[in-house]
Each structure stands twice: as C-alpha cells, then as structure tokens.
Amino acid sequence: EAGVAQSPRYKIIEKRQSVAFWCNPISGHATLYWYQQILGQGPKLLIQFQNNGVVDDSQLPKDRFSAERLKGVDSTLKIQPAKLEDSAVYLCASSETSLTGYFGPGTRLTVL
Amino acid sequence: AQSVTQPDIHITVSEGASLELRCNYSYGATPYLFWYVQSPGQGLQLLLKYFSGDTLVQGIKGFEAEFKRSQSSFNLRKPSVHWSDAAEYFCAVSLKGGSQGNLIFGKGTKLSVKP
C-alpha cells in the first residue's frame, strides 16, 4: 500500500514570497490533516478535512495560510506571504476514520 | 490548559540497554494517549496508543507503555535498545474522542544509541 505522498520535500523562499505544498493521501482515506512542526517542537494541527469539507481550522493563521481539498482526495496548503517564523516542516497525514493516521515525510520550508 | 511534557530533551543509551522515555500530561479527564517515532527525514510513525482497558500497552518494534493515572504519566519502555531505534520520540494526547486531529504533542525526546 502506498503511503502519504508530499511534494516538494524541501523549499527555500524569501520572506513575503508565496509557497504551496501538495499532499496525496492514502487511497480511500477520507480524513486529511496538515500539521506544522517547528524545530524543537512537536507537530501542531493546522487544518483537518473530512472528504472535501473542513472539520477544524481553528489553528490555521487564515490571514496568510489557506488550504483546499477540492475533490476530497489530494490537498494543497498555501502560504502567502511567508514570514520568517513560518520556517518549519509541514506534515500531511491521512486516516480512514478519525482515529490513527498515517503521516507523510513532510516538506521542510526555510524562509530567508 | 492541556499540555504534554517530555522532561528529557535528549537521552543516550548503549545498544542492548533498557530504555524508558518519560511523558506526563495535564488534562482534566482520562485522555487518549499515543507515542510516535520520527526518524530523520521521515514522517511520524505510530508506536502504540492507549484508549482504555489494560494500562500496559504493547506496540510495534518491541515497545510498550504503561498508563498511570495517579501520576498522569504514560512512559515508553523497551527492554533492549537496537541501534535502529535512534530517532525522536513524541508523546501525544488526544482531547476529543481519540481523534487524531485533536492531538497535542510533547516537544519530543531525541534518542541516541551508543554501539
């Protein structure tokens, strides 16, 4: 079974630029999550989708972050404009139910 | 506020030695508890979870964890560490119904293994 795919794996941008990350969940998984993991900390949930609907985006900085999952399958997370403090690893995870999920390898973002 | 504390930032053990990683949580009710492992450049992998029942939980890769309500702890153990266990370990608490989306993670413990 293929795992959760994410691209790109690494991205370096300058502050105020825009960036987008892509996630393809495990086939058939209805629930998809985006987490932000800042160096030295545990992951923090940004947004949770159930199919193509948002379940929880309470910790998403909506002034600069956006996410979509148009057809209930893959998803994109966008940051516009990026700030220095957005440097982090962005993890995507998916699950068949709302329980145990499977994580992708992450995208490491560096904002200069 | 709910929180998860992993008191040890970095632990080094010799290969073959036993391991215990500490985790304490602050939460009003009995939470759902998880341990994840993250190898360099990899995503998080679930080692084990506790929802209810037997307080000693067996996981993958020979790991186990024990839930102690009186101490608000969920420590991870392994009787004999292998070099491949070197990684970062995260304890997590779920706030609602076991949903992974509501996980609160600790800051992690980095494990190094000496040959």
Side-chain angles (χ1 to χ4, degrees), chain B residues 48-103:
Chain B
L48 47 78
K49 60 191 176 188
Y50 172 77
F51 287 173
S52 64
D54 191 346
T55 57
L56 184 62
V57 181
Q58 301 297 321
I60 62 171
K61 303 186 180 186
F63 286 92
E64 66 177 27
E66 185 171 13
F67 169 58
K68 293 186 177 180
R69 185 192 309 272
S70 61
Q71 298 177 20
S72 296
S73 70
F74 188 56
N75 293 350
L76 182 71
R77 302 193 294 246
K78 186 169 185 178
S80 177
V81 169
H82 188 262
W83 63 266
S84 61
D85 293 324
E88 189 150 23
Y89 292 80
F90 292 92
C91 179
V93 167
S94 173
L95 301 184
K96 293 186 204 179
S99 169
Q100 188 202 265
N102 301 104
L103 286 176

Side-chain angles (χ1 to χ4, degrees), chain B residues 5-32:
Chain B
T5 302
Q6 294 182 245
D8 304 305
I9 296 174
H10 190 186
I11 285 182
T12 300
V13 300
S14 297
E15 191 168 15
S18 63
L19 171 70
E20 183 169 30
L21 302 181
R22 297 183 289 164
C23 173
N24 293 94
Y25 64 89
S26 171
Y27 185 51
T30 299
Y32 296 88

Side-chain angles (χ1 to χ4, degrees), chain A residues 9 35 37 43 45 98 100-101 104, chain B residues 38 41 43 46 49 99-101 105:
Chain A
R9 291 296 309 276
Y35 290 84
Q37 185 177 16
L45 180 70
S98 64
T100 310
Chain B
Q38 186 175 37
L46 180 68
K49 60 191 176 188
S99 169
Q100 188 202 265
F105 284 87

Side-chain angles (χ1 to χ4, degrees), chain A residues 47-98:
Chain A
I47 189 166
Q48 177 182 347
F49 290 96
Q50 182 73 19
N51 296 309
N52 60 349
V54 175
V55 173
D56 183 356
D57 64 356
S58 58
Q59 299 191 85
L60 187 74
K62 297 180 186 65
D63 57 334
R64 298 183 300 106
F65 286 66
S66 64
E68 60 183 14
R69 193 185 184 198
L70 292 176
K71 296 182 179 179
V73 181
D74 55 353
S75 174
T76 55
L77 176 70
K78 297 179 182 177
I79 307 175
Q80 180 180 6
K83 293 185 175 181
L84 296 177
E85 58 262 36
D86 297 332
S87 293
V89 176
Y90 291 85
L91 295 164
C92 180
S94 70
S95 65
E96 196 170 4
T97 66
S98 64

Side-chain angles (χ1 to χ4, degrees), chain A residues 16-46:
Chain A
R16 291 188 289 273
Q17 285 187 323
S18 302
V19 64
F21 312 128
W22 175 81
C23 172
N24 189 22
I26 293 173
S27 178
H29 282 193
T31 310
L32 184 148
Y33 315 82
W34 283 102
Y35 290 84
Q36 181 192 56
Q37 185 177 16
I38 293 173
L39 185 65
Q41 298 183 21
K44 181 186 79 171
L45 180 70
L46 292 175

